[in-house]
Amino acid sequence: EVLLTQSPGTLSLSPGERATLSCRASQSVGSHFLAWYQQKPGQAPRLLIYGASTRATGIPDRFSGGGSGTDFILTISRLEAEDVGVYYCQQYRGSPPGITFGQGTRLEIK
Amino acid sequence: QVHLEQSGAEVKRPGTSVKVSCKAPRPLFIGYYMYWMRQAPGQGPEWLGWINPNTGTTGSPQKFQGRVTMTRNTSISTGYMELTRLTSADSAMYYCALGQLPPGRGVDPWGQGTLITVSS
């Protein structure tokens, strides 16, 4: 099983600043199969990024993803109050088939 | 906004089983795999399994094999996840979601979640 380790655990930033979230995999992950989700309090996760760098439908261009192999990054530029929540990375591997999620990074807006 | 409708919260006794349902719009139901995840408080989501709604073929992690069963009723565009031999460790929010296999475009949308509490 591929383990995903996210850092930092909590990020506290001011509106307008840039947030950089890290996701490190225990084994190499195909970029096609790395996704990021946002979860707001009391809601289900929502897809932000798939294929490591492609924004999902309706996601503003303040959100961007990158990376390859075992190291992936989610960047949120020009933070807004509505960006508060927990962000998760997720990967898929075919052998054995399955998906795993990281433990999440909590984003707080000061 | 695509909407997956899950069944309501349940309280179960240890050792019993629970069955959660998830209804999807028909075009999406037949076009995508249905994934099942759960999320304990303060934790990341955990994958429970997936089902091909057209063939009924399923897959699940070894951890849950023998304890989780996914089925579907194509006539009403609804998928089901049954978990047996419940313990307090199974208390969590359970989600269904749609995606391709492999999930090259992520897993989305998700249902609103079904809270399962296991308590004596």
Side-chain angles (χ1 to χ4, degrees), chain B residues 96-115:
Chain B
C96 61
L98 300 179
Q100 299 166 332
L101 184 66
R105 291 179 175 267
V107 181
D108 191 74
W110 294 51
Q112 83 277 17
T114 297
L115 183 62

Side-chain angles (χ1 to χ4, degrees), chain A residues 12-19 78-81 107-110:
Chain A
S12 183
L13 295 168
S14 299
E17 291 190 306
R18 172 192 301 257
R78 305 184 305 278
L79 282 170
E80 300 181 0
L107 177 61
E108 300 174 347
I109 306 296
K110 296 177 183 176

Side-chain angles (χ1 to χ4, degrees), chain B:
Chain B
Q1 186 82 10
V2 176
H3 181 60
L4 303 185
E5 185 176 344
Q6 296 187 222
S7 48
E10 298 199 49
V11 179
K12 309 296 291 188
R13 299 294 190 195
T16 63
S17 301
V18 67
K19 192 171 186 178
V20 180
S21 68
C22 175
K23 183 174 176 63
R26 182 148 189 90
L28 295 183
F29 181 80
I30 61 175
Y32 293 91
Y33 278 66
M34 182 172 284
Y35 289 70
W36 289 91
M37 277 72 62
R38 72 180 185 182
Q39 187 175 29
Q43 304 295 314
E46 179 179 30
W47 172 59
L48 296 173
W50 55 50
I51 182 168
N52 180 325
N54 295 301
T55 66
T57 304
T58 62
S60 62
Q62 190 169 10
K63 172 181 180 179
F64 293 106
Q65 288 178 9
R67 210 160 68 91
V68 68
T69 303
M70 286 150 293
T71 57
R72 88 289 190 214
N73 183 331
T74 55
S75 67
I76 58 173
S77 302
T78 299
Y80 304 89
M81 186 285 302
E82 183 174 24
L83 189 63
T84 62
R85 305 194 302 276
L86 293 170
T87 72
S88 58
D90 295 314
S91 295
M93 186 71 80
Y94 286 72
Y95 293 102
C96 61
L98 300 179
Q100 299 166 332
L101 184 66
R105 291 179 175 267
V107 181
D108 191 74
W110 294 51
Q112 83 277 17
T114 297
L115 183 62
I116 303 300
T117 303
V118 183
S119 174
S120 55

Side-chain angles (χ1 to χ4, degrees), chain A residues 32-33 35 37 39 43-47 50-51 88 90 92 97-99 101-103, chain B residues 35 37 39 42-47 50 95 101-108 110-111:
Chain A
H32 294 297
F33 302 124
Y37 298 80
Q39 186 173 33
Q43 297 184 17
R46 176 179 72 144
L47 180 67
Y50 62 88
Y88 297 98
Q90 170 253 309
Y92 165 87
I99 64 174
F101 293 83
Q103 84 282 10
Chain B
Y35 289 70
M37 277 72 62
Q39 187 175 29
Q43 304 295 314
E46 179 179 30
W47 172 59
W50 55 50
Y95 293 102
L101 184 66
R105 291 179 175 267
V107 181
D108 191 74
W110 294 51

